[in-house]
Amino acid sequence: RAAQSIEPALLFFSEEMNQRAKEHLRIESELRDALANNELMLYYQPKVSLRSGRIVGAEALLRWRHPVRGLVSPGVFIPVAEETGLITELGNWVVNEACRQIRQWRDANVIMPPVAVNLSARQFDRGLPQRMAAVLERYQVHPEQLMLEITESLLVRGADTVIAIMNELVAMGLALALDDFGTGYSSLAYLKKFPISTLKIDRAFVVGLPHEENDCAIARAIVTMAQQLRQEIVAEGVETLAQMNFLRELGCDQLQGYLFSQPVPAPDFERMLREGKRLAFTGR
Ligand code: C2E
Ligand code: MG
Ligand code: MG
Ligand code: MG
């Protein structure tokens, strides 16, 4: 056998790669089924104003209800979808489902703040504005009802084309938010070139507030400079009152995090809105 002449370490390594490739293929084919079998759903996580304590937005987050494995988190399947290109189909499903839900809420007289969807860099081609327009048209949703969250990886890629597409989206009335800010390589000065209205400070810098000096300095720098660029600032992953108070004093506009709510299914989010759930600035 040929394998006998291969070093055991190499054999082990290739076996491990083989396992990973198999796992990858399995997730890929199951994801295709998931799309066809309605196993995907959107959860909604509120964004709350640090001035009024009220819900002023939501982020739609993809969930996969696997028939055997239960709820699979996007951390597991989004990277596979990115790699295989299936993300464009998933992304289309997400935009469609978010607009369908927004329309349903409007028909039920729920007063809805803007809902943000995450876009992969792979969805960001010249056809994107047209595809967005078609979905908005299909459900008769106002573009102000929808926001798009993009990541820094997009900004480093062929800036001129990306800026042109962004400008088209903004001209249509769709606001752009920069997700996970601080984890990539873009400086705030560079950001000026892009028509982005909201910055989301990544959870990695929120977690150490208010005790980690470096995190405090980073959060302070982001908020201060974003204010000068007149961008809204949302802090991700806020879990404690101490984090909230620190961000509030800095002048951060909104928070999103377990302190207020985890991402929840649409009916639960609707209930929070109907009940007027608010962030308490004291207590707990
Ligand atoms: P993201 O866009 O930065 O979303 C925020 C993530 O932080 C969500 O994880 C959310 O559940 C989590 N989070 C929010 N508050 C807290 C908190 O207080 N503590 C902790 N520990 N976590 C918090 P989730 O839903 O697992 O999504 C992970 C990532 O998967 C997202 O990060 C996004 O990059 C990606 N993703 C999710 N849905 C989609 C989608 O529809 N399309 C694309 N392209 N990516 C998506
Ligand atoms: Mg996001
Ligand atoms: Mg984020
Ligand atoms: Mg993040």
Side-chain angles (χ1 to χ4, degrees):
R1 289 275 170 88
Q4 279 176 338
S5 62
I6 297 175
E7 293 228 8
L10 280 179
L11 193 63
F12 177 74
F13 185 57
S14 74
E15 185 51 34
E16 195 179 281
M17 297 214 315
N18 192 25
Q19 284 305 324
R20 279 191 42 194
K22 274 188 187 155
E23 168 84 357
H24 214 91
L25 277 173
R26 191 171 52 80
I27 294 177
E28 184 189 353
S29 91
E30 289 189 355
L31 255 183
R32 288 186 195 283
D33 296 343
L35 269 165
N37 300 340
N38 281 320
E39 290 167 21
L40 298 176
M41 64 186 296
L42 292 180
Y43 273 33
Y44 297 85
Q45 186 177 36
K47 297 176 182 175
V48 197
S49 163
L50 278 166
R51 275 177 291 272
S52 68
R54 289 181 187 281
I55 298 172
V56 291
E59 176 172 10
L61 293 154
L62 195 52
R63 295 292 181 267
W64 178 8
R65 297 201 315 184
H66 190 282
V68 179
R69 284 185 281 172
L71 208 60
V72 185
S73 90
V76 174
F77 64 87
I78 294 281
V80 176
E82 291 269 3
E83 227 172 284
T84 59
L86 204 57
I87 191 71
T88 52
E89 270 174 75
L90 284 187
N92 290 340
W93 183 88
V94 168
V95 172
N96 190 79
E97 171 59 15
C99 288
R100 190 200 59 76
Q101 183 63 70
I102 290 167
R103 174 58 190 270
Q104 187 183 308
W105 275 324
R106 193 179 74 214
D107 288 346
N109 292 316
V110 183
I111 295 169
M112 196 38 60
V115 174
V117 294
N118 291 282
L119 286 191
S120 154
R122 292 186 74 147
Q123 287 171 264
F124 226 84
D125 58 25
R126 290 204 174 271
L128 179 65
Q130 259 310 312
R131 292 198 302 276
M132 297 300 306
V135 183
L136 293 170
E137 168 75 23
R138 175 171 182 198
Y139 293 103
Q140 292 291 299
V141 163
H142 298 291
E144 290 77 17
Q145 282 287 293
L146 196 66
M147 277 190 80
L148 306 177
E149 295 195 4
I150 57 168
T151 57
E152 282 174 89
S153 62
L154 190 62
L155 307 189
V156 294
R157 203 192 73 191
D160 286 348
T161 313
V162 169
I163 291 173
I165 298 168
M166 286 182 176
N167 283 333
E168 258 188 84
L169 294 167
V170 170
M172 286 167 55
L174 289 160
L176 302 178
L178 189 60
D179 209 349
D180 303 336
F181 186 72
T183 58
Y185 297 99
S186 49
S187 66
L188 278 160
Y190 180 66
L191 276 187
K192 256 193 330 197
K193 303 204 298 181
F194 300 89
I196 290 165
S197 54
T198 302
L199 283 188
K200 298 187 75 179
I201 306 177
D202 194 71
R203 182 161 68 87
F205 309 110
V206 171
V207 94
L209 304 180
H211 307 293
E212 289 280 343
E213 255 175 66
N214 288 341
D215 287 352
C216 293
I218 291 167
R220 190 174 291 119
I222 294 176
V223 172
T224 308
M225 292 182 75
Q227 282 171 338
Q228 264 146 32
L229 295 175
R230 301 200 196 306
Q231 284 164 336
E232 287 268 302
I233 309 137
V234 182
E236 296 188 309
V238 178
E239 296 184 354
T240 70
L241 268 175
Q243 289 166 349
M244 178 195 75
N245 285 328
F246 184 88
L247 289 159
R248 201 166 171 233
E249 271 158 38
L250 278 190
C252 182
D253 300 293
Q254 298 169 24
L255 73 74
Q256 181 182 342
Y258 296 171
L259 175 69
F260 186 75
S261 171
Q262 297 208 352
V264 294
D268 299 325
F269 182 64
E270 182 181 330
R271 191 170 320 117
M272 275 189 242
L273 279 173
R274 285 191 189 278
E275 290 170 357
K277 179 175 171 171
R278 280 170 83 164
L279 183 64
F281 292 121
T282 52
R284 260 195 233 201

